[in-house]
Amino acid sequence: EAQVTQNPRYLITVTGKKLTVTCSQNMNHEYMSWYRQDPGLGLRQIYYSMNVEVTDKGDVPEGYKVSRKEKRNFPLILESPSPNQTSLYFCASRYLATSPYNEQFFGPGTRLTVL
Amino acid sequence: QQPVQSPQAVILREGEDAVINCSSSKALYSVHWYRQKHGEAPVFLMILLKGGEQKGHDKISASFNEKKQQSSLYLTASQLSYSGTYFCGTETGANNLFFGTGTRLTVIP
């Protein structure tokens, strides 16, 4: 089954404790992206990647890091989480080549609470 | 670079119609529409490319006016299953997608 998976789905942590949220897709998509969703603010992009070893900042990158060492994986790293990073996080992927009618697939989301 | 959506929220009775608008300050290559049920991931509805084309999906259709950098989503004869938050995503030609703040649609019996 074609899908984007994220782990963990729920996480409660404390300020300053480094964490990683994993994202993996099995569709051989070049493009992957991370969004955070907060009430009234919609989906805001954190980082995106056009291919392996190619990453770039979105609208709200502060406090986050990413890496793209393999095509299928795009982990989101919070080196020193703070309470304002409490949010619902979505990973997404998309096929870029040939047809422009390429929908974006979203993972199930990770609900993060930083105390 | 987030597109702006309006209205922020709308309540409909079953069978009524609704229009959700999405506008951008940048020239657009394409517009995507997604629907999200509470607590779930957004689900793809349709993509529109520049050229002013319209797409349809059952009783849900959309248009794209590239001169105005605007897109509208039309929901006709709404059903209870249409309830959710609708997001437009805009692409300016660099293959990157930015999403709006969402429109919460509630359909009541």
Side-chain angles (χ1 to χ4, degrees), chain A residues 41-85:
Chain A
L41 298 178
L43 290 162
R44 294 182 294 166
Q45 189 180 55
I46 304 170
Y47 270 94
Y48 65 98
S49 169
M50 294 295 186
N51 215 324
V52 175
E53 303 291 1
V54 181
T55 63
D56 209 344
K57 297 178 181 179
D59 283 340
V60 289
E62 294 77 22
Y64 304 94
K65 284 176 58 176
V66 293
S67 69
R68 187 91 182 272
K69 294 185 171 59
E70 304 166 285
K71 199 172 188 179
R72 62 183 293 127
N73 297 323
F74 192 43
L76 180 69
I77 302 155
L78 285 74
E79 298 250 337
S80 183
S82 62
N84 64 11
Q85 292 178 299

Side-chain angles (χ1 to χ4, degrees), chain B residues 36-91:
Chain B
Q36 182 185 35
K37 299 284 188 178
H38 183 69
E40 299 179 5
V43 174
F44 172 76
L45 291 176
M46 64 189 76
I47 294 174
L48 301 100
L49 301 186
K50 69 177 183 179
E53 65 179 281
Q54 297 186 330
K55 300 280 273 188
H57 185 271
D58 195 10
K59 293 191 175 72
I60 301 174
S61 62
S63 63
F64 177 23
N65 186 326
E66 65 184 272
K67 288 184 180 179
K68 293 184 178 180
Q69 287 116 239
Q70 291 177 347
S71 178
S72 294
L73 186 72
Y74 307 95
L75 300 100
T76 58
S78 58
Q79 307 166 15
L80 294 176
S81 62
Y82 286 3
S83 292
T85 299
Y86 289 78
F87 289 99
C88 69
T90 55
E91 185 179 21

Side-chain angles (χ1 to χ4, degrees), chain A residues 9 31 33 35 37 40-45 48 50 57-59 88 90 94 96 100-109 111, chain B residues 1-2 8 29-30 32 34 36 39-44 47-49 53 55 85 87 91 94-102:
Chain A
R9 294 289 312 281
Y31 175 93
S33 181
Y35 300 89
Q37 184 174 18
L41 298 178
L43 290 162
R44 294 182 294 166
Q45 189 180 55
Y48 65 98
M50 294 295 186
K57 297 178 181 179
D59 283 340
L88 178 60
F90 286 102
R94 184 178 170 210
L96 290 182
Y101 290 97
N102 292 323
E103 67 179 275
Q104 188 155 290
F105 291 83
F106 284 85
R111 188 166 292 281
Chain B
Q1 300 196 45
Q2 270 190 310
Q8 290 186 327
Y29 176 75
S30 71
H32 297 220
Y34 289 76
Q36 182 185 35
E40 299 179 5
V43 174
F44 172 76
I47 294 174
L48 301 100
L49 301 186
E53 65 179 281
K55 300 280 273 188
T85 299
F87 289 99
E91 185 179 21
N95 283 322
N96 198 22
L97 209 53
F98 291 94
F99 287 89
T101 51

